[in-house]
Amino acid sequence: MRLNVPGILAPLQFIVNPRIIVPSLVVKDIRHLDFHALKRAGYRGAIFDKDNCLTLPKQDTIVPEIEEAWKECRTVFGQGNVLVVSNTAGAHLDAGGIQAESVRYHLGVPVLFHNSFKPAYSCVNQIRSYFHSLRNPIKDNELIIVGDRLFTDIVLASRLREKVWTDRFWLPPYSNSGPTSTPPVGTDPSQPLSNPLTARTSLGVWTTGLWVKEATLMRFCERKLLEGVRKWVIAPAEARSKGRKGGKASPAESIEYDEDPLIRAFVRDVPPPSDSQKPSILRRIADSFQGVQFRRSN
């Protein structure tokens, strides 16, 4: 794999602003995202990483376990409003866009062609250009960004958010004071509210469930850095806010990095697979030998 210079330089920005790697939401995989709730809250577009998020690394087909969730996502957001941004398919090293075309065919959504690896600012600008060029343009604060890497996907979400940094806090849908999962009486839950959010920013979603283990050391370091930011940066800031407010932080100060309201509003439980959905022992054995070549001894 070629060197991702923007990804390597991201830690320099992290030193100045450690919060750039803090995701808005953490889920195991996209099955846990309530796309209908996101749409009602005013999110109209979605950006997805490919490898280990939607597909197995170096493959172009959707992981079977999330196929229904992927179909739901495309149906909810609509044609053209879901975009794959990958550092493999569609990147400048994808000669002739062959892999991008394969991904577009198998996943059923467009793939961004970009000249720089995520999370480069030039890639951010190309994402903005794509969504602004749609028949019904989508703003930065109407986007969710889903991926499995903190220093690429979540930093990308943070950089998209920089342009709308004046939106300092998020208020959950259907309520002016706190989150609720039930719309007001007489509201059609399938229709967007006229003013679902008082303020909203781009939503960075970190998926932690890996379909194939890779880059283990880098992922371990990312996790530890995130734990450190939450412990040494966010927690003290929240404590100071509570101290200034007599033990209670204002919504504008506390909710910006409070994941709980977002979890209650946008995350759903996924039931375990039924026995009929679980692969048989023979199927597991066959899958484990897939791609293994045996040589005949002389």
Side-chain angles (χ1 to χ4, degrees):
M1 184 176 178
R2 298 297 180 90
L3 199 63
N4 182 358
V5 176
I8 294 174
L9 295 178
L12 298 179
Q13 185 181 5
F14 166 79
I15 295 173
V16 178
N17 178 20
R19 297 173 188 260
I20 63 168
I21 68 166
V22 179
S24 308
L25 278 176
V26 180
V27 296
K28 184 177 180 181
D29 56 63
I30 68 170
R31 290 175 294 183
H32 294 270
L33 290 174
D34 189 336
F35 295 110
H36 289 281
L38 286 163
K39 183 67 178 291
R40 292 195 299 269
Y43 291 99
R44 301 173 48 232
I47 300 166
F48 284 87
D49 181 38
K50 182 183 82 72
D51 295 323
N52 247 334
C53 181
L54 299 177
T55 72
L56 299 180
K58 300 181 181 180
Q59 295 192 22
D60 301 336
T61 55
I62 193 74
V63 175
E65 287 85 347
I66 61 173
E67 190 170 359
E68 288 301 318
W70 180 239
K71 181 179 179 180
E72 177 190 347
C73 173
R74 290 184 293 143
T75 301
V76 169
F77 288 116
Q79 183 71 25
N81 294 341
V82 179
L83 180 69
V84 168
V85 181
S86 170
N87 277 343
T88 53
H92 61 283
L93 298 177
D94 182 10
I98 295 175
Q99 189 178 2
E101 178 59 26
S102 175
V103 173
R104 184 204 64 77
Y105 173 79
H106 286 99
L107 298 187
V109 299
V111 178
L112 182 75
F113 287 91
H114 50 104
N115 299 323
S116 301
F117 287 127
K118 294 182 297 183
Y121 279 103
S122 59
C123 181
V124 172
N125 291 333
Q126 287 178 287
I127 291 171
R128 286 188 176 125
S129 296
Y130 171 82
F131 283 104
H132 292 173
S133 68
L134 297 177
R135 183 175 181 181
N136 296 310
I138 296 177
K139 300 177 182 178
D140 296 352
N141 63 353
E142 296 174 325
L143 290 170
I144 67 170
I145 301 92
V146 185
D148 63 306
R149 298 299 301 270
L150 293 178
F151 273 100
T152 53
D153 304 302
I154 301 307
V155 170
L156 179 72
S158 297
R159 290 179 174 180
L160 273 169
R161 194 181 300 123
E162 287 176 1
K163 194 174 181 180
V164 288
W165 188 242
T166 52
D167 297 334
R168 292 304 301 251
F169 63 95
W170 175 92
L171 289 181
Y174 315 131
S175 173
N176 292 326
S177 58
T180 174
S181 58
T182 306
V185 176
T187 300
D188 183 356
S190 65
Q191 300 297 323
L193 299 181
S194 57
N195 186 20
L197 297 177
T198 301
R200 176 186 56 245
T201 63
S202 306
L203 202 67
V205 182
W206 183 34
T207 57
T208 58
L210 300 181
W211 305 111
V212 174
K213 289 186 177 181
E214 61 164 0
T216 307
L217 179 60
M218 288 296 297
R219 294 178 189 276
F220 173 80
C221 293
E222 287 181 345
R223 283 179 177 271
K224 289 302 178 181
L225 286 173
L226 178 60
E227 291 174 6
V229 171
R230 284 174 167 164
K231 181 178 181 180
W232 301 108
V233 177
I234 295 177
E238 290 178 348
R240 289 193 297 270
S241 297
K242 291 180 181 179
R244 288 197 302 268
K245 299 296 181 180
K248 185 176 181 180
S250 67
E253 293 174 318
S254 64
I255 206 168
E256 181 184 351
Y257 299 105
D258 185 3
E259 196 180 45
D260 289 344
L262 299 178
I263 291 175
R264 291 192 293 269
F266 299 142
V267 176
R268 60 188 175 189
D269 294 328
V270 176
S274 62
D275 292 337
S276 61
Q277 294 174 315
K278 294 180 180 179
S280 64
I281 296 177
L282 292 178
R283 177 62 182 273
R284 290 179 182 272
I285 295 174
D287 290 343
S288 66
F289 283 102
Q290 186 177 5
V292 177
Q293 298 179 354
F294 297 95
R295 294 181 179 180
R296 184 187 302 173
S297 58
N298 295 328

